[in-house]
Amino acid sequence: MTETTKNPAVMEPTALERASAVPAETRARIEALKAERDAVILAHYYVEPEVQAVADYVGDSFYLAKLAKSLPQQTIVLCGVEFMGESAKLLNRTKTVLLPEPAADCPMAHMVQRATIDAARAEYGDDLAVVCYVNSTMKIKSWSDVCVTSSNAVKIVRELPQSHVLFIPDRNLGRFVAEQVPEKHVILNDGCCPRHEAISLAELQELKREHPEALVLAHPECTAAVLAEADYIGSTAGIIAYAEQSAAQEFIVVTVQGVLYELERRCAASGKRFFVTRTPPTCGDMDGITLEKLVRCLETGSGAVEIGVDEAAAQRAQATLDRMLEYAAR
């Protein structure tokens, strides 16, 4: 069960209830269109429950990037924001990658200046690694040495041979990584996820007072003040796994509320309850990826992702993703 602190007179349907309400004819139409296009549907945990319910695979950025490279289908429909589609295309050059909502972007993906990278390279030379969060544009990846996700950032930074790390673009994830890997000199960039940055510390503390037995599960893109309140800090996949395996019965979830569908689905028989702050954390870009747009994308083949940089830059960007997968597999 999921609740906010609004206490509405009429409870809104849960994420699981919304997903269950997808009409059978819509599901059948999607299956037929997939067969026609030799398509597979991948969805991020943050998109609408209805979209997750009809996807073939649902996961976080790392899972989707790794999975996209191994799938046999010729068409990948990526229900996520632009950088996710770009990553899938870089890893699958000969395949068609479609975005149901091409306008869905990630503001943080653009929050890096080339001058920041050039200055760090000039100062530290070969002993610097530019570590790029996967939430970044193809161009920014091409300026970098290795990509990471929130699932593997700590592991990869720890294993890099360089002593100095410029972490781009997210200062919050970068700060969290620096705390976990104190032996490295981590330089932070002034970027952030506006959705996680906006999560209210006061609302979180209010929720903790109302549910004193609840464990707080937070994403590392949150601010330091919010993370200080958490019992567990991890990626969306980590949060889901922690809640599923925990003996606790109540959880305050501090990330984009789209993750509630998978939490409710996995914990449906357990009686576990999930709470989000009075102002539910939402991502307008992810919310724009609707079931109707997914169907239209499959019908028309719209939203094709192209390589938007020159071939040399594309190869450098792809190399950062390949290195991420190599490091993560060790």
Side-chain angles (χ1 to χ4, degrees):
M1 179 179 181
T2 307
E3 297 180 9
T4 70
T5 57
K6 290 182 178 179
N7 190 27
V10 178
M11 291 293 291
E12 295 182 359
T14 66
L16 200 58
E17 289 168 343
R18 287 177 56 187
S20 300
V22 175
E25 56 268 29
T26 301
R27 292 177 183 269
R29 176 64 174 154
I30 289 171
E31 290 301 314
L33 290 167
K34 281 164 48 184
E36 289 176 16
R37 289 195 177 275
D38 187 25
V40 61
I41 300 173
L42 312 186
H44 192 274
Y45 287 130
Y46 288 166
V47 300
E48 291 192 342
E50 295 87 346
V51 175
Q52 294 185 53
V54 300
D56 297 293
Y57 302 94
V58 180
D60 63 4
S61 298
F62 175 59
Y63 173 75
L64 296 180
K66 182 171 66 172
L67 181 67
K69 201 169 181 179
S70 66
L71 295 170
Q73 288 86 355
Q74 183 57 37
T75 300
I76 298 170
V77 181
L78 203 299
C79 299
V81 295
E82 185 177 25
F83 78 80
M84 298 176 187
E86 288 184 342
S87 295
K89 184 63 177 178
L90 283 169
L91 293 169
N92 298 273
R93 296 289 201 96
T94 63
K95 294 188 177 183
T96 299
V97 178
L98 305 178
L99 291 171
E101 177 46 272
D105 197 3
C106 171
M108 179 172 61
H110 305 271
M111 294 183 185
V112 184
Q113 298 296 320
R114 180 62 185 264
T116 301
I117 297 171
D118 291 344
R121 290 200 189 278
E123 182 169 358
Y124 298 105
D126 292 340
D127 199 24
L128 175 83
V130 178
V131 176
C132 185
Y133 193 17
V134 73
N135 299 37
S136 55
T137 66
M138 195 179 298
K139 180 184 290 186
I140 290 170
K141 287 181 177 70
S142 76
W143 302 339
S144 307
D145 297 310
V146 62
C147 261
V148 297
T149 70
S150 52
S151 294
N152 59 35
V154 170
K155 169 183 166 59
I156 291 177
V157 168
R158 181 174 287 130
E159 294 182 7
L160 289 171
Q162 292 87 353
S163 301
H164 307 279
V165 170
L166 173 61
F167 195 97
I168 59 174
D170 183 21
R171 62 174 177 261
N172 290 317
L173 178 58
R175 184 194 61 254
F176 174 75
V177 170
E179 292 169 352
Q180 306 306 306
V181 192
E183 67 271 22
K184 301 278 185 169
H185 172 219
V186 179
I187 306 155
L188 302 182
N189 172 70
D190 190 22
C192 68
C193 168
R195 326 304 184 190
H196 286 91
E197 184 94 352
I199 293 173
S200 167
L201 175 62
E203 288 187 11
L204 173 57
Q205 291 172 332
E206 177 186 17
L207 199 51
K208 288 180 69 174
R209 288 191 294 270
E210 293 173 356
H211 303 280
E213 301 301 314
L215 298 182
V216 178
L217 314 181
H219 195 283
E221 289 179 21
C222 296
T223 64
V226 167
L227 294 185
E229 302 286 331
D231 297 288
Y232 171 80
I233 301 169
S235 66
T236 45
I239 286 172
I240 292 164
Y242 188 95
E244 185 179 20
Q245 296 162 15
S246 174
Q249 287 295 106
E250 294 188 339
F251 303 89
I252 297 169
V253 180
V254 193
T255 189
V256 175
Q257 67 174 357
V259 76
L260 294 173
Y261 167 68
E262 188 68 9
L263 284 166
E264 291 175 5
R265 189 186 72 80
R266 292 202 196 180
C267 301
S270 67
K272 291 180 179 180
R273 304 173 72 202
F274 302 98
F275 308 96
V276 295
T277 52
R278 176 179 287 111
T279 306
T282 60
C283 174
D285 287 282
M286 289 288 195
D287 291 346
I289 303 160
T290 64
L291 194 59
E292 292 74 20
K293 290 176 182 177
L294 171 58
V295 172
R296 189 180 314 125
C297 172
L298 283 166
E299 289 174 339
T300 65
S302 60
V305 177
E306 304 295 341
I307 300 294
V309 296
D310 63 51
E311 182 56 28
Q315 289 183 14
R316 293 194 301 271
Q318 181 179 343
T320 67
L321 293 166
D322 288 335
R323 290 188 195 110
M324 175 184 73
L325 296 176
E326 291 167 9
Y327 269 105
R330 293 181 183 178

